[in-house]
């Protein structure tokens, strides 16, 4: 394989692991490769209830999101991920290991300072973007909805110029 940059090519090299970035089959192959991790996480005794579902992780392409009702449970799930990575020669980008605490105001906010993935401290923020949606610890989606409304307003003015205002106002 070679890397092409403009009209220049790199020296040939062999790919020994991974999937092709942007390849049609890449998300499916990656899902098959991580299926065992999903099963391991699902069998952990660390779980949250969302509606009628009991979950502790979501996976989409190369994004993994873990949920825990406690800091110690979160560390347990991250340890499972780290052990799986070591066993299957996967490298998690520990710099992108971030978290948001969801804690009702009536409870004291726990300190997540001792949460690690492969020895790297996880960063915690008030909000984070996951698969294009902003999620925050207050469990309110007002900010993300306002962002999307503004985005639709831009689309309305750009894409619906030829539509009469009488028609476009009820649509947006």
């Amino acid at each position: 394989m070679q890397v092409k940059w403009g009209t220049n090519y790199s020296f040939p090299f062999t790919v020994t692991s991974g999937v092709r970035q942007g390849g049609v089959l890449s998300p499916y192959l990656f899902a098959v490769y991580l299926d065992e991790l999903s099963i391991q996480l699902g069998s952990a005794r660390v779980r949250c209830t969302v509606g009628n579902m009991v979950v502790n992780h979501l996976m989409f392409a190369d994004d993994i999101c873990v949920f825990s009702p406690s800091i110690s449970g979160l560390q347990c799930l991250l340890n499972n991920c780290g052990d799986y990575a070591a066993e299957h020669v996967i490298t998690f980008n520990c710099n992108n290991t971030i978290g948001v605490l969801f804690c009702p105001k009536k409870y004291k906010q726990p300190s997540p300072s001792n949460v690690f993935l492969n020895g790297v401290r996880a960063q915690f923020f008030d909000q984070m973007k996951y698969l294009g949606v902003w999620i925050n610890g207050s469990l309110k989606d007002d900010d993300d909805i306002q962002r999307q409304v503004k985005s639709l307003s831009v689309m309305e003015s750009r894409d619906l110029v030829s539509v009469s205002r009488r028609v476009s106002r009820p649509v947006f």
Side-chain angles (χ1 to χ4, degrees):
M1 179 172 287
Q2 292 179 292
V3 174
K4 180 181 177 186
W5 182 278
T7 59
N8 300 315
Y9 288 87
S10 71
F11 291 106
F13 60 93
T14 303
V15 177
T16 59
S17 66
V19 294
R20 183 174 172 229
Q21 179 98 23
V24 175
L25 291 177
S26 296
Y28 300 104
L29 294 171
F30 193 77
V32 168
Y33 195 67
L34 286 183
D35 189 51
E36 187 180 330
L37 173 60
S38 182
I39 292 167
Q40 286 179 13
L41 290 173
S43 65
R45 293 188 172 177
V46 177
R47 298 168 183 217
C48 294
T49 302
V50 180
N52 294 331
M53 288 183 15
V54 178
V55 297
N56 68 1
H57 71 284
L58 294 174
M59 296 175 136
F60 181 78
D62 63 348
D63 285 317
I64 302 171
C65 188
V66 294
F67 306 96
S68 170
S70 67
I71 298 295
S72 60
L74 178 60
Q75 186 60 62
C76 175
L77 294 174
L78 291 177
N79 289 345
N80 285 346
C81 290
D83 293 345
Y84 185 87
E87 187 178 327
H88 292 86
V89 195
I90 297 173
T91 303
F92 286 112
N93 185 346
C94 296
N95 293 325
N96 286 342
T97 302
I98 62 172
V100 174
L101 291 178
F102 301 97
C103 187
K105 290 183 181 179
K106 64 182 180 179
Y107 297 110
K108 183 182 175 200
Q109 186 85 3
S111 173
S113 60
N114 294 323
V115 178
F116 297 88
L117 174 62
N118 293 337
V120 177
R121 185 185 312 269
Q123 305 170 61
F124 283 80
F125 298 96
D126 293 332
Q127 63 179 354
M128 65 179 265
K129 192 173 188 178
Y130 183 68
L131 301 178
V133 177
W134 282 97
I135 302 169
N136 63 46
S138 67
L139 300 176
K140 297 185 181 207
D141 56 3
D142 298 353
D143 293 339
D144 193 54
I145 290 172
Q146 288 302 318
R147 181 190 60 78
Q148 291 183 26
V149 166
K150 286 179 185 175
S151 175
L152 287 173
S153 296
V154 170
M155 281 181 22
E156 176 190 24
S157 63
R158 186 185 66 219
D159 298 336
L160 298 177
V161 172
S162 63
V163 177
S164 75
R165 288 289 174 200
R166 191 183 59 132
V167 172
S168 66
R169 278 197 185 114
V171 172
F172 294 98

